Amino acid sequence: MATADSKTYEYAVRDRGGKIVKGRVEAPNQAAVANRLKEMGLAAVSISEVTNSGLQREITFGGLGEKVKLKDLAVMSRQMATMISAGLSLLRTLSILAEQTESKPLAKVLGQVRGDIEIGGALSSSFAKHKETFPPLMINIIRAGEVGGFLEKALESVAENYEAEVKLRGKIKSAMSYPVVVFCIAILAIAVMLIFIVPIFKNMFESLGGTLPLPTLILVWLSGIMKWLGPLIVIASVVFASWWRKHKNDDGVRSRIDPWKLRVPVFGNLFRKIAIARFSRNFGTMMGSGVPLLQALDIVGQVSGNWVIETAIKDVQESVRRGESLAGPLAKHDVFPAMVTQMMAVGEDSGSLETMLEKISEFYDQEVEATTEQLTSLIEPIMILFIGVIVGGMIVALYLPIFNIFNLIQ
C-alpha cells in the first residue's frame, strides 16, 4: 500500500517462460521492490525509479480531460468479463484493456492496477486505490465476486448496470439538448441586437428628434446598460460555475437543491423517475452480486445522485439494523410511489427482492423514455414561441418610431 514516502518504480522480470515482463509498483525504495519480487519467486532484471521531470510531466488544465467516463467503465467491464470467461489471465486481460481503451486516463490507471496485481494484490483492492476512477458500486461488486468466486458474473453485472445508466443519461441529454441549444441561440440573438443593432437605430432616432415610444425607450435603456452588464454576467457565470463544481456535492447544497429539483414544474416528475430508476437498478445489481445488505444500502445511498433518496435509505438502514422491513421506511417518503414500496414488500416476503427491483428499474427506465419524448414534443413549440415573442418584440420596438419619421421630417 502506498504511503506518503512511497515512490514509483518500474521493473523488468523474467517469467517462467523466459519472457521479459515489465510493470510498475509503489514502494519506499529499490530494495523493497526487489524483496517483493523475490517473495513472488521472480528475479529482477532491472529496477528503476520513475521520475517526472518538467519535460516528462503531462500538462493538464484544471481537471479537463482527466475524468474517466461511465461509458468507458461499461465497455471495460464488458470486455474484462468476456476475456476472463475466455480463459485469459487477469494480468493479460489488464494489459489488453490498457492498450486498446480510448481513454488515456483509464489506460494509465489500468497500468497501475496491473502492477498491483503482479505483486499479489486483489483486483478490488487495487481498484479501491483509485476511487476517483472506479465508483464504490463497482469496487464492492467486484469484491463480492472475488470472495464468492464469480468474478466474471460480477463484472457482467457491473457492465449491465453501467450500460443501462449510460442509456438513461443518453435519453436525458437528447431531451435537454434541443431546449438548451435554442435558449442559447435566443440569448445570443438578443445580445447581438442590444449591443450592435439598437445603437445604430438610437443614433438615427436622435438625429431626427422627437419623443420615442415607451417600448423603444426600454430597448435603448437595455442596450446602454449591456455595455457593463454583459461582461458582469459573463464573469458572474464563470465564478458560479467554478463554485458549483467545487460545492455541488456538499450536503448543505444538496439538501436544498435536490428537494427543489423534485418539485420543479414539468421537469420534477422526470427527475423523480430518474432517481427511482437509478436506485432500484443499483440496489438490485448489488443484491444479485452478493454484496451484504447493509453495505449495499450504504453504497446505493452514496451513488443515488439525490439527497432525498439518500436520506430515505438511511432510514431503511436503521430499520434493517432493528430487524424490521426494507419497504416500511420508504413508504414514509413521498419520493417513492406506492407501487415501488408495495413491490419491494412483496419481494421481501417472497424472497425475490432482486427480481422485483429489476422490474421496477425496467418500468421506470421506460417511464423516463416516455416522459423525455413528451417533454421534447412539448418544449419545441414553447421554445419557438419564446424566441418569436422576444426577438419579434424587439424588432417591433425598433420600428415603432419609423412610423413617425415623416411627421418628424415635416
Side-chain angles (χ1 to χ4, degrees):
M1 184 176 179
T3 63
D5 298 329
S6 293
K7 300 177 182 179
T8 302
Y9 291 91
E10 190 172 32
Y11 63 85
V13 297
R14 195 176 298 277
D15 64 10
R16 296 177 181 178
K19 295 177 63 177
I20 297 293
V21 178
K22 295 182 179 180
R24 289 189 177 189
V25 65
E26 291 184 352
N29 49 53
Q30 289 187 351
V33 178
N35 289 334
R36 289 189 191 179
L37 296 173
K38 186 176 181 181
E39 291 173 359
M40 297 170 61
L42 300 172
V45 176
S46 64
I47 300 174
S48 59
E49 183 181 349
V50 178
T51 58
N52 289 326
S53 66
L55 294 175
Q56 292 174 322
R57 190 176 293 112
E58 295 182 359
I59 299 175
T60 58
F61 299 91
L64 296 178
E66 296 179 351
K67 188 176 180 180
V68 177
K69 298 179 181 178
L70 192 65
K71 183 178 180 181
D72 296 326
L73 293 179
V75 172
M76 184 208 77
S77 301
R78 178 67 66 186
Q79 292 176 339
M80 183 178 287
T82 301
M83 284 187 275
I84 290 177
S85 64
L88 272 70
S89 67
L90 189 56
L91 288 174
R92 180 59 178 163
T93 297
L94 290 169
S95 297
I96 295 172
L97 290 173
E99 291 173 3
Q100 70 180 20
T101 183
E102 297 179 358
S103 172
K104 292 182 179 180
L106 181 58
K108 180 179 178 181
V109 172
L110 288 175
Q112 296 172 356
V113 170
R114 187 183 186 278
D116 290 338
I117 301 299
E118 283 180 326
I119 59 174
L123 182 63
S124 59
S125 300
S126 182
F127 276 8
K129 295 179 181 178
H130 306 279
K131 293 182 179 179
E132 72 285 353
T133 301
F134 303 109
L137 182 82
M138 184 178 190
I139 295 171
N140 284 274
I141 289 177
I142 290 175
R143 181 175 289 119
E146 288 177 324
V147 174
F150 51 91
L151 180 59
E152 174 192 341
K153 181 183 176 183
L155 288 167
E156 289 178 353
S157 297
V158 172
E160 291 172 359
N161 183 282
Y162 285 166
E163 287 166 357
E165 182 69 17
V166 169
K167 186 178 179 182
L168 179 65
R169 292 185 180 184
K171 294 173 184 175
I172 299 168
K173 288 180 180 178
S174 65
M176 297 295 105
S177 58
Y178 179 81
V180 169
V181 170
V182 172
F183 183 76
C184 291
I185 292 174
I187 296 298
L188 182 63
I190 293 170
V192 169
M193 291 187 69
L194 289 174
I195 295 172
F196 299 104
I197 298 177
V198 173
I200 296 174
F201 278 81
K202 178 186 176 184
N203 295 332
M204 183 180 68
F205 297 151
E206 289 177 347
S207 65
L208 294 174
T211 304
L212 297 176
L214 180 60
T216 309
L217 287 173
I218 295 173
L219 203 60
V220 170
W221 175 76
L222 288 173
S223 176
I225 67 171
M226 276 298 293
K227 294 179 181 179
W228 59 268
L229 185 61
L232 183 62
I233 292 174
V234 172
I235 294 172
S237 300
V238 173
V239 172
F240 176 76
S242 177
W243 178 88
W244 179 255
R245 187 181 302 172
K246 293 180 180 179
H247 300 284
K248 63 180 180 179
N249 293 322
D250 294 352
D251 289 339
V253 175
R254 294 178 64 219
S255 63
R256 290 174 174 82
I257 297 297
D258 287 353
W260 174 82
K261 287 167 60 177
L262 299 178
R263 294 192 300 267
V264 69
V266 183
F267 292 98
N269 192 35
L270 175 61
F271 292 142
R272 180 187 186 188
K273 291 176 180 178
I274 292 169
I276 295 174
R278 183 176 288 128
F279 156 75
S280 55
R281 180 171 55 253
N282 291 340
F283 193 22
T285 300
M286 300 201 76
M287 292 293 292
S289 300
V291 178
L293 181 57
L294 286 173
Q295 187 177 353
L297 286 169
D298 186 46
I299 296 165
V300 169
Q302 294 176 27
V303 301
S304 62
N306 191 281
W307 183 85
V308 179
I309 298 285
E310 186 174 342
T311 302
I313 292 174
K314 289 179 181 177
D315 291 344
V316 175
Q317 287 179 291
E318 294 301 321
S319 176
V320 172
R321 287 191 180 97
R322 295 192 300 266
E324 299 174 4
S325 67
L326 280 166
L330 295 181
K332 300 176 183 177
H333 295 268
D334 295 337
V335 67
F336 292 99
M339 186 200 76
V340 174
T341 56
Q342 290 174 6
M343 288 184 69
M344 289 183 63
V346 171
E348 283 186 278
D349 295 338
S350 61
S352 57
L353 181 59
E354 176 193 347
T355 303
M356 287 298 182
L357 288 168
E358 182 179 350
K359 292 184 180 297
I360 292 170
S361 66
E362 290 176 356
F363 173 79
Y364 276 97
D365 281 340
Q366 295 172 359
E367 284 288 298
V368 169
E369 184 173 2
T371 304
T372 51
E373 290 176 358
Q374 293 172 1
L375 285 176
T376 303
S377 60
L378 177 66
I379 288 172
E380 287 182 10
I382 292 176
M383 295 303 295
I384 293 172
L385 179 63
F386 170 76
I387 293 179
V389 170
I390 297 296
V391 178
M394 293 177 68
I395 293 174
V396 170
L398 286 175
Y399 278 90
L400 276 176
I402 294 178
F403 299 145
N404 297 325
I405 281 182
F406 293 106
N407 294 331
L408 295 173
I409 292 176
Q410 292 175 355

